[in-house]
Amino acid sequence: MILTYRYRVKNRSGELNRMAKSVNAVWNYACNAQRHAIMWGRRWPTAYDLHKLTSGAGSDLGLLATTVQATCTKFERSRRASKARTLRYRGQRSLGWIPFRAVGIFRSGEAFVFNKTTYRVAYSRPIPPAAKILDGGSFSQDAGGRWYINICVEVIEFERSLATTERVGIDLGLRELATLSDGRKIENPRLAAKQEARLAVAQRARKRRRIVAINAKVSNQRRDYLHKTSYRLVGEFGHIVVGNINAAGLKKTRLAKSVGD
């Protein structure tokens, strides 16, 4: 079983910001290579091609070679998944992101060592001692400038008897967060709507930090509510079926705020 452990990084934000700019440079180079291939009618570069083109760039950019390779691999996979000819460039407004491979990071007590630097974290949930770190991890930044480390690990899956064999179907909605097949309804707290007045005041005053803080609070409240609700449903039902909706498409309509909530 593969799990991702996410921890808040306590230090070295300046170093992470510097490496994030270097990662953006690698990503933008891959974007240019893709656009040049389209312009001249050449074969689109694969991840292997990008690895060869960026060989040796890590030492000049202050990055591990594995981080450069992980960035190129992510670019090629994102291009294939989006089925787009090109992807957007990463600039100053892009949130910081630094991918790494398992060979480039290791644990040191309750901290992690990456690129010869120790990063202390808020070790809120211990990783099982026998867990194996896998590729796919990264450092990521939120809108408030806070840095987090995401560790992908493989743990030994064990048999767990379900508390119940009850089944339920869930239909997601806007007025109610969800309607269960047994007739019960889960309330939609409409967290964004409750902060609209405060957000409007901050936007009119052009207080960027206040705007970011309010949006971050709404995001955290949503995540907390969803975690608690889903945990309760998993403990109550053994088989759960959720209706499939195009949330990304609905967020482009006039119902965007309601869909987000």
Side-chain angles (χ1 to χ4, degrees):
M1 181 168 57
I2 299 176
L3 300 176
T4 299
Y5 288 77
R6 179 180 172 90
Y7 303 107
R8 168 79 182 275
V9 179
K10 294 182 178 180
N11 62 337
R12 306 287 186 180
S13 59
E15 179 69 13
L16 291 173
N17 289 333
R18 183 198 63 78
M19 286 193 293
K21 291 181 179 179
S22 298
V23 169
N24 289 348
V26 176
W27 180 277
N28 293 339
Y29 178 84
C31 286
N32 288 332
Q34 172 69 13
R35 292 173 187 268
H36 289 162
I38 295 174
M39 181 185 304
W40 298 105
R42 300 301 180 91
R43 180 177 60 87
W44 292 3
T46 63
Y48 179 73
D49 296 330
L50 294 174
H51 291 171
K52 292 196 299 182
L53 290 172
T54 57
S55 178
S59 58
D60 296 330
L61 296 173
L63 298 174
L64 293 177
T66 53
T67 296
V68 176
Q69 293 176 357
T71 303
C72 295
T73 301
K74 178 62 176 178
F75 173 86
E76 197 264 346
R77 289 179 178 176
S78 298
R79 190 199 68 204
R80 287 181 178 272
S82 63
K83 298 180 181 179
R85 290 165 56 87
T86 59
L87 297 179
R88 290 183 179 181
Y89 288 97
R90 295 183 61 87
Q92 294 182 351
R93 294 188 178 183
S94 301
L95 297 180
W97 168 68
I98 307 168
F100 54 76
R101 297 179 59 186
V103 296
I105 193 167
F106 60 90
R107 285 182 282 179
S108 177
E110 296 185 355
F112 295 90
V113 179
F114 174 72
N115 200 9
K116 301 180 180 179
T117 304
T118 301
Y119 295 91
R120 295 182 294 106
V121 301
Y123 203 65
S124 55
R125 187 171 57 141
I127 298 177
K132 177 183 178 182
I133 297 180
L134 304 176
D135 292 343
S138 66
F139 289 92
S140 59
Q141 187 183 36
D142 65 5
R146 295 177 289 267
W147 279 95
Y148 296 85
I149 184 172
N150 309 294
I151 303 293
C152 297
V153 299
E154 182 179 11
V155 297
I156 300 176
E157 190 173 1
F158 56 92
E159 292 293 334
R160 181 172 65 90
S161 60
L162 296 175
T164 177
T165 58
E166 292 291 329
R167 300 186 177 189
V168 68
I170 301 177
D171 181 31
L172 302 178
L174 299 182
R175 181 172 298 178
E176 285 82 23
L177 180 64
T179 301
L180 306 186
S181 57
D182 59 7
R184 286 184 294 167
K185 296 182 179 181
I186 300 176
E187 178 189 2
N188 184 353
R190 302 186 184 279
L191 299 169
K194 294 179 180 179
Q195 299 291 337
E196 273 188 344
R198 298 172 60 192
L199 183 61
V201 172
Q203 289 174 336
R204 285 194 294 268
R206 298 183 178 180
K207 295 182 178 179
R208 183 183 176 278
R209 291 186 178 181
R210 185 59 179 163
I211 295 171
V212 170
I214 293 174
N215 287 325
K217 181 177 181 179
V218 172
S219 178
N220 292 335
Q221 287 177 329
R222 283 175 176 168
R223 188 179 299 109
D224 178 71
Y225 184 75
L226 291 176
H227 276 314
K228 291 178 179 177
T229 303
S230 59
Y231 183 80
R232 185 175 69 252
L233 291 173
V234 169
E236 187 175 353
F237 299 100
H239 186 188
I240 300 174
V241 179
V242 183
N244 185 20
I245 61 173
N246 183 14
L250 290 174
K251 291 193 72 172
K252 297 179 181 179
T253 67
R254 293 186 300 175
L255 302 174
K257 289 185 180 181
S258 298
V259 174
D261 263 341

